[in-house]
């Protein structure tokens, strides 16, 4: 059928489907809105998990999905509302027909003004129909735009992470290739964006089009625009559709700004959350994490008020934490970094390590963590024995128990101190510095 798109019968079929498309629009909108509201809690939960664990390559897709869901929900709810108004207008037209301005018996000033602005009820119905049809189509086009922008950002991050910062590659090679790719992506992104907001200005000028075409061709694959290009140009060749698609962007910006507005009660209390010594952050106390989306941000103890003979301390594991361990003991850094997304398919000749050596390195890894960190409660120093474990939120981290028998009753401050090596000429290799990574206030009372 696609090869006979100019066939008369096919054209008649499209015209017939076009007239009845409002029914399909309402059905799809209804199912889509229900599905989106169902999916948002799960997407938000995974977004929080990936953000908390600082997993950038899983955080970005979830963020895109989260934004896309809200764009679709806003557009589809608006579409359903307009379609409902359109159906209501059709029903009223069946009963009342067109507007009879003479029967209203208004003064000529108002009658002439209303005739000029409204013209006829049929025109009003036609305008509603146009807005509904365009809004439904532009909803999905905007999702493609969001995906395209995300792919460009991911491409830049990938080049900088896996090429420029990849120490396994030759330095001159990775810097040269990396900078070339970054320049191509950066210049191409600017040109494509300018061409978009200028409605194809770079395609209209002869000498500019010759320079722009290679970037346009490359970015048609990077941004997947070849999948939705017909939609774009069908929007751009019509003044009405072009105006609506560009009008939605400032609307989204306004909604984003409006949703961020909040009332501030104090000049000082809002800023205390940035000072761990005076702010009780519920993400640092396990008994405060009661909702499914509540996760430990950095580290935690079991409660604000300790009545037991021990404190259960948990430090969340992140990739940055592993980098700190490598920096402290470079011998732990593997020849091949296996972090990131992996497939279950194994290839012959892939890097392997014996189980005995792997277990030995894992023990050394945990021991190095114990060497790096120490805990102080007020002036008391503890050198706890951390082990790898999971908390009730299924977060992986390092866990230990600290005795409270030396503590007096009342308020105390727990600090997680990190030892680190600053490698420069002014310090010897074995010299270490200290910094406070975590501060958690609590109260201790004997049970």
């Amino acid at each position: 059928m696609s090869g006979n798109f100019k066939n008369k019968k096919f054209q008649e079929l499209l015209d017939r489907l076009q007239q009845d498309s409002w029914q399909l629009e309402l059905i799809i909108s209804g199912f889509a809105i229900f599905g989106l509201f169902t999916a948002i809690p799960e997407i938000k939960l995974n977004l929080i998990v990936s953000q908390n664990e600082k997993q950038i390559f899983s955080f970005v897709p979830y963020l895109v999905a989260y934004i896309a869901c809200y764009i679709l929900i806003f557009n589809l709810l608006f579409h359903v509302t307009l379609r409902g108004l359109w159906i209501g207008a059709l029903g009223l037209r069946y009963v009342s027909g067109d507007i009879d301005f003479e029967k209203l018996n208004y003064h000529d000033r108002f009658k002439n003004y209303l005739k000029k602005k409204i013209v006829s009820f049929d025109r009003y119905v036609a305008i509603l129909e146009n807005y509904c049809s365009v809004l439904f189509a532009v909803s999905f086009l905007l999702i493609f735009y969001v995906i395209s922008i995300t792919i460009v950002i991911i491409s830049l991050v990938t080049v900088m992470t896996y090429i420029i910062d990849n120490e396994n590659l030759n330095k001159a090679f990775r810097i040269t290739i990396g900078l070339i790719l970054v320049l191509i992506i950066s210049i191409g992104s600017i040109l494509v964006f300018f061409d978009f907001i200028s409605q194809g200005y770079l395609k209209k000028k002869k000498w500019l089009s010759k320079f722009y075409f290679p970037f346009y061709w490359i970015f048609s694959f990077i941004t997947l625009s070849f999948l939705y290009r017909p939609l774009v140009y069908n929007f751009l060749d019509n003044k009405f559709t072009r105006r609506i698609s560009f009008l939605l962007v400032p609307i989204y910006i306004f909604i984003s700004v409006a949703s961020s507005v909040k009332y501030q009660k104090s000049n000082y209390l809002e800023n205390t959350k940035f000072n761990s010594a005076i702010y009780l952050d519920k993400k640092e106390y396990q008994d405060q994490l009661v909702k499914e989306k509540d996760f430990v941000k950095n580290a935690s103890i079991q409660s604000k008020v300790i009545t037991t003979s021990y404190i259960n301390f948990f430090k969340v594991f992140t990739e940055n934490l592993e980098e700190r361990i490598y920096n402290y003991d470079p011998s732990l850094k593997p020849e091949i970094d296996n972090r990131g997304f992996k497939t279950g398919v194994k290839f012959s000749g892939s890097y392997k390590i014996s189980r005995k050596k792997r277990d030995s390195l894992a023990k050394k890894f945990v021991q190095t963590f114990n060497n790096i960190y120490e805990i102080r409660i007020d002036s008391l120093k503890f050198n706890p024995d951390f082990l790898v474990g999971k908390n009730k939120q299924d977060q992986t981290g390092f866990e230990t128990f600290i005795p409270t028998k030396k503590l007096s009753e009342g308020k105390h401050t727990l600090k997680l101190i990190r030892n680190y090596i600053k490698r420069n000429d002014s310090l010897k290799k074995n010299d270490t510095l200290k910094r406070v990574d975590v501060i958690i206030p609590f109260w201790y009372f004997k049970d």
Side-chain angles (χ1 to χ4, degrees), residues 80-117:
V80 169
T81 303
L82 285 181
R83 271 297 175 196
L85 182 60
W86 177 76
I87 292 171
L90 286 177
L92 183 61
R93 182 182 182 277
Y94 175 77
V95 174
S96 182
D98 207 345
I99 301 172
D100 191 344
F101 291 100
E102 301 299 330
K103 285 187 178 181
L104 294 174
N105 198 28
Y106 289 159
H107 189 274
D108 288 345
R109 180 186 294 276
F110 280 97
K111 182 170 66 175
N112 295 333
Y113 176 80
L114 292 174
K115 280 185 177 181
K116 182 180 178 181
K117 290 295 180 181

Side-chain angles (χ1 to χ4, degrees), residues 38-50:
T38 305
I40 277 180
E42 288 297 320
I43 294 173
K44 187 176 182 180
L45 179 63
N46 286 287
L47 179 64
I48 293 171
V49 171
S50 57

Side-chain angles (χ1 to χ4, degrees), residues 423-437:
R423 303 184 184 279
N424 55 42
D425 296 334
S426 64
L427 291 173
K428 296 179 181 179
K429 184 176 181 181
N430 294 328
D431 288 343
T432 58
L433 302 175
K434 295 180 182 292
R435 64 168 293 170
V436 178
D437 267 10

